[in-house]
Amino acid sequence: MSDARVHRTVHEVIAAAPAGVLYGLIADATRWPLFFPPCVHVEQLDFDGTRERLRMWATAGDTVKSWISSRRLDVQRLRVEFTMDVPAAPARFMSGVWTVEPLGECSRVTLEHSFTVDGDNPADVAWIEDVTTANSSSQLDRLAEIARLWTRLDDLVWSFEDTLHVNAPAELIFDFLYEAEDWPAELPHVTRLDLVEDEPGVQLMSMGSMSVDGGTHSTESVRICFPSAQRIVYKQTRTSPLLTAHAGEWSIEPDETGVNLTARHHVLLDEDSIERVLGEGTDAVTAGHHVRDALGKAGLSVLRYATQYALGAVRVL
């Protein structure tokens, strides 16, 4: 890296929340898909209390990039330093730091990046600067929005799952979940589905569907598929009503008597739309139970149809 020019970007925002709250949101990267629009999925690979390694997926312009980052968490200084172990092309090296500074009732959050590019190609440098600026601004703006809600965040963030135990071939169930372009012919509530998979295992999905109350809505998602682990994780980049963010997972886990099919959901309620959608006087807790019931029913429905598909395919064979 000594012979390459180092480029730097610095972005900051003033957020109306205590520094400790903001540091906690930054430090808990596994929840970033709920809070930061570009972030699709984060998996913690190692953690010793101070240092951790993360596998991350995020949108970058019209593409989905993935990389492994090492982070050092310094709660005393309210800093999180990070380095990409294997940077996403065209970056050759990238590192940075989050810093939170108390300002009375507010806090300043600064996000710095340093990077190099092979050959210092001007077009590649400009692309990384543009994407870094767009993603940093998006992250910081959303952080400021969340800060406004920090006293109510426990009522707005919901995580839940439903599990179905069945005796059916796990591989065929995964095929049903993976080959989602066939869902309109298989699932009664799916009216339209467009799926693009330019990179193996990374799917961009646009879906039209009917909700349990008979209404219709459209969603768009990025899906990351792990065939060997029989998991599919996803992040909706265009959500259904009531939600600011929705991330989830389909998982298949065999046991000695069959397979456990699980639909997991993590959602951030859109506080400003609750009364408009569910009626005046509806609070966040009531809205959360409504969303939990609706998504739970939809997820279990998909798993039941996946099971029927798998059993039907076995009978044909």
Side-chain angles (χ1 to χ4, degrees):
M1 152 179 180
S2 59
D3 60 344
R5 180 184 174 190
V6 179
H7 302 268
R8 293 183 172 86
T9 64
V10 180
H11 300 85
E12 65 177 41
V13 72
I14 304 298
V21 171
L22 292 161
Y23 173 82
L25 293 170
I26 294 165
D28 188 2
T30 58
R31 296 214 298 174
W32 281 12
L34 276 187
F35 299 139
F36 296 149
C39 189
V40 174
H41 181 61
V42 179
E43 297 208 348
Q44 189 180 69
L45 305 178
D46 301 295
F47 185 49
D48 65 4
T50 300
R51 299 181 182 274
E52 68 178 345
R53 293 175 68 245
L54 303 171
R55 179 75 186 272
M56 311 182 79
W57 288 261
T59 56
D62 295 328
T63 65
V64 177
K65 296 289 187 179
S66 177
W67 64 91
I68 295 176
S69 282
S70 293
R71 303 204 311 169
R72 180 177 179 273
L73 281 61
D74 188 340
V75 66
Q76 298 299 323
R77 299 171 63 195
L78 299 177
R79 286 168 58 92
V80 177
E81 301 169 1
F82 61 89
T83 301
M84 288 187 182
D85 295 2
V86 183
R92 176 181 174 186
F93 167 85
M94 180 169 282
S95 67
V97 57
W98 293 85
T99 307
V100 184
E101 177 188 356
L103 299 174
E105 295 182 355
C106 297
S107 305
R108 176 184 287 113
V109 182
T110 304
L111 177 54
E112 305 174 49
H113 287 86
S114 300
F115 68 90
T116 65
V117 173
D118 277 325
D120 209 35
N121 181 284
D124 289 340
V125 171
W127 185 84
I128 292 178
E129 286 180 339
D130 289 345
V131 169
T132 300
T133 294
N135 283 3
S136 296
S137 298
S138 176
Q139 287 177 301
L140 291 172
D141 289 347
R142 181 56 63 86
L143 202 57
E145 291 177 19
I146 294 169
R148 178 177 60 86
L149 305 170
W150 76 272
T151 59
R152 305 184 297 283
L153 208 52
D154 286 345
D155 291 336
L156 296 174
V157 174
W158 291 68
S159 294
F160 49 89
E161 64 181 49
D162 295 286
T163 298
L164 190 65
H165 186 271
V166 301
N167 187 6
E171 295 79 5
L172 293 177
I173 293 173
F174 181 84
D175 287 347
F176 180 93
L177 298 174
Y178 180 81
E179 296 168 1
E181 65 270 20
D182 297 331
W183 284 5
E186 303 287 348
L187 299 175
H189 70 280
V190 177
T191 59
R192 173 191 57 81
L193 198 144
D194 302 310
L195 188 144
V196 177
E197 187 173 352
D198 292 332
E199 178 183 346
V202 179
Q203 299 178 337
L204 306 181
M205 188 171 81
S206 175
M207 184 174 74
S209 60
M210 294 183 295
S211 57
V212 292
D213 60 5
T216 61
H217 60 266
S218 296
T219 58
E220 295 178 0
S221 305
V222 178
R223 307 205 314 168
I224 311 297
C225 307
F226 304 95
S228 59
Q230 296 189 320
R231 297 173 58 220
I232 297 174
V233 298
Y234 62 87
K235 159 77 174 284
Q236 286 189 352
T237 53
R238 178 184 178 187
T239 61
S240 57
L242 282 177
L243 303 182
T244 294
H246 178 193
E249 176 181 353
W250 305 102
S251 70
I252 304 171
E253 299 179 357
D255 63 19
E256 62 277 4
T257 61
V259 291
N260 292 306
L261 313 179
T262 302
R264 295 184 176 90
H265 302 274
H266 310 284
V267 302
L268 174 61
L269 300 179
D270 180 2
E271 186 179 49
D272 295 334
S273 73
I274 290 175
E275 291 193 357
R276 185 180 70 251
V277 175
L278 296 180
E280 187 175 351
T282 306
D283 60 18
V285 173
T286 301
H289 285 297
H290 172 86
V291 170
R292 194 265 178 268
D293 183 62
L295 290 179
K297 287 179 178 177
L300 284 173
S301 175
V302 172
L303 294 178
R304 291 188 179 102
Y305 276 99
T307 301
Q308 292 177 17
Y309 166 86
L311 293 174
V314 169
R315 285 193 290 270
V316 170
L317 293 174

